Amino acid sequence: MKKLILIFLTLFMILCFFMFFIGCATHNNESNGPEAPPIEKEYFIAQGEVLTGLTIDGKKLENVVVPKTINGVTITTIGEKAFHYAQKVKTVKLPNTISVIGKQAFYGCTNMTEIELPRTITRLDEWAFYDCSSLLSIKIPTGINEIKDNTFRECRSLDSITLPSNITKIGKKAFEKCISLTRVHLPWSITFLDDDAFTNCNGITAFSVDSNSQYFKAIDGNLYSKDGKTFIYYALGKTAKSFTVPEGVEVLGFASFANENDLETVNVASSVKSLGYECFTCCENLQYVTFGGANSRLETMGHRAFYSVVKLNSIEVPATLKFVGSYAFSYCAKLKRVYSYKSLIDWNSLSVNTPSDNSSFTNASIRIYM
């Protein structure tokens, strides 16, 4: 009996020992199995609610999806220069937690073709999309009531902008050199449009304005103040060779014709009293300008009014003209004749600011109408 018990205990111990090693082997085998999924790389840098930048890996992304939270904190702001010159980026998707896009946030993202702005955004800061030269279209959310200075400046591929009906202001150079824009519609809500908000947008063939606007109107695709007294923009994409400013206009606004490449003749209404700064600057094919003859009320030609109008051949000077701004006729190398309704005495007393800068004007042959 004792032998049987001893044999049994021996076998039992051997079995336990064997099972122990099997368990260890199994455990070791499990630890050497397939690796767990790697932890996702960090692409973004944040300080609290503000996304402040991209990591080295983030700057390699082409299609960016900004997360709602980083380190457990909800992201509400794309911070200043967050995507500054991130030139690999092609598309950006923002979460609906974003309310602010900071100054220069996407400055110089030259390959970004698409970004969808969520409805939650209430502020776009200055220079936010400057030189996003591949961006094709933009729809401004209804929470935005102002396009600030230089926001979309030099977005050269931008061919479509949609402005909400509650926007009130478009700032300085906000869309300057957006050369692919062909049509611009201003909602009734806009109360302020900076003088050069759309300068050098050479592709625009027509402006249009909501009929309920109290501040602006469009006539034949050109932009005027509501009362028609200020001519704001000639649609530079037009191909006409001549244009007549309608009677009733009193002011040709800042750079209102600047860089127009097709016009050869402009007949300015006799009602016009003032030409704004840089009014006809760099109109490369403009040759002849008249001001309504003896009935003209023109008093002022602003600084650089005809600067570098290289083909300007002749111009009419009304008797009412009192002041010619500096550089008004600089680089007008072909200006040969000035037709004046002033007397010789009045002509000699005409105030020409810094005459040496207007040498083309003062050295031209003067013909006095008697």
Side-chain angles (χ1 to χ4, degrees):
M1 177 63 71
K2 289 182 178 180
K3 284 185 176 181
L4 289 174
I5 292 172
L6 184 61
I7 292 171
F8 177 79
L9 290 174
T10 301
L11 291 173
F12 180 77
M13 289 178 66
I14 292 171
L15 179 63
C16 289
F17 188 78
F18 181 75
M19 292 298 294
F20 172 79
F21 276 100
I22 290 177
C24 289
T26 302
H27 177 74
N28 289 333
N29 188 56
E30 288 177 353
S31 65
N32 293 325
E35 292 184 3
I39 297 174
E40 185 177 1
K41 291 181 179 179
E42 293 292 334
Y43 297 123
F44 307 101
I45 303 169
Q47 293 181 359
E49 297 179 348
V50 181
L51 191 154
T52 58
L54 300 173
T55 64
I56 293 175
D57 288 321
K59 291 179 180 178
K60 297 176 183 177
L61 292 175
E62 291 187 354
N63 302 301
V64 177
V65 179
V66 175
K68 287 186 176 182
T69 62
I70 296 177
N71 299 325
V73 179
T74 299
I75 299 300
T76 64
T77 301
I78 305 298
E80 184 174 332
K81 296 185 177 181
F83 287 78
H84 195 256
Y85 281 113
Q87 296 185 343
K88 293 284 187 181
V89 172
K90 292 183 178 179
T91 67
V92 176
K93 184 175 182 180
L94 301 177
N96 58 12
T97 56
I98 300 295
S99 59
V100 176
I101 293 180
K103 188 176 181 179
Q104 300 184 37
F106 293 92
Y107 187 112
C109 290
T110 55
N111 286 302
M112 183 174 70
T113 60
E114 179 183 344
I115 183 170
E116 184 175 345
L117 303 181
R119 296 179 181 179
T120 49
I121 292 179
T122 58
R123 196 179 89 207
L124 297 176
D125 282 343
E126 295 92 341
W127 304 91
F129 294 95
Y130 172 76
D131 196 25
C132 290
S133 53
S134 297
L135 186 64
L136 297 173
S137 65
I138 198 76
K139 183 176 182 180
I140 307 299
T142 55
I144 299 293
N145 59 19
E146 176 183 359
I147 306 295
K148 296 187 178 182
D149 297 351
N150 302 292
T151 302
F152 294 97
R153 185 177 176 181
E154 297 199 35
C155 291
R156 295 174 180 268
S157 297
L158 189 67
D159 62 12
S160 173
I161 55 172
T162 304
L163 301 173
S165 60
N166 60 310
I167 199 161
T168 60
K169 179 181 178 181
I170 299 179
K172 184 178 180 65
K173 299 183 185 293
F175 293 96
E176 187 194 35
K177 294 185 180 179
C178 291
I179 58 176
S180 294
L181 284 175
T182 56
R183 302 186 68 87
V184 173
H185 179 75
L186 302 181
W188 67 270
S189 54
I190 293 182
T191 60
F192 177 82
L193 180 69
D194 196 274
D195 287 341
D196 57 357
F198 289 95
T199 53
N200 297 313
C201 292
N202 293 69
I204 295 177
T205 57
F207 289 93
S208 61
V209 182
D210 190 285
S211 59
N212 292 321
S213 173
Q214 298 181 35
Y215 297 90
F216 305 99
K217 68 179 179 181
I219 301 174
D220 296 330
N222 301 316
L223 189 63
Y224 297 76
S225 61
K226 186 69 172 183
D227 61 9
K229 292 182 178 181
T230 300
F231 183 92
I232 300 172
Y233 282 125
Y234 181 81
L236 299 182
K238 291 174 176 286
T239 58
K241 300 299 182 184
S242 65
F243 177 71
T244 298
V245 177
E247 288 294 333
V249 173
E250 296 182 0
V251 176
L252 299 188
F254 170 80
S256 50
F257 289 86
N259 295 285
E260 207 291 324
N261 294 327
D262 292 288
L263 287 174
E264 296 176 358
T265 302
V266 173
N267 301 306
V268 178
S270 62
S271 56
V272 171
K273 298 177 181 179
S274 175
L275 306 187
Y277 287 18
E278 301 183 10
C279 181
F280 291 98
T281 288
C282 298
C283 290
E284 64 178 28
N285 285 303
L286 185 61
Q287 299 176 41
Y288 308 102
V289 180
T290 65
F291 292 99
N295 296 320
S296 176
R297 298 164 62 191
L298 185 70
E299 297 179 356
T300 301
M301 290 183 181
H303 303 296
R304 299 167 64 98
F306 292 91
Y307 181 87
S308 196
V309 181
V310 294
K311 292 184 180 180
L312 185 64
N313 186 280
S314 66
I315 193 165
E316 176 187 283
V317 176
T320 51
L321 186 65
K322 298 177 181 178
F323 176 79
V324 177
S326 59
Y327 301 96
F329 290 89
S330 290
Y331 302 105
C332 293
K334 292 189 177 182
L335 182 58
K336 299 175 181 178
R337 290 180 295 277
V338 174
Y339 297 99
S340 179
Y341 285 87
K342 303 174 75 66
S343 68
L344 285 173
I345 294 174
D346 289 336
W347 175 260
N348 291 331
S349 65
L350 177 65
S351 175
V352 180
N353 195 16
T354 54
S356 61
D357 296 329
N358 291 309
S359 57
S360 294
F361 180 66
T362 54
N363 291 337
S365 298
I366 310 299
R367 178 178 176 181
I368 305 296
Y369 284 104
M370 302 300 291

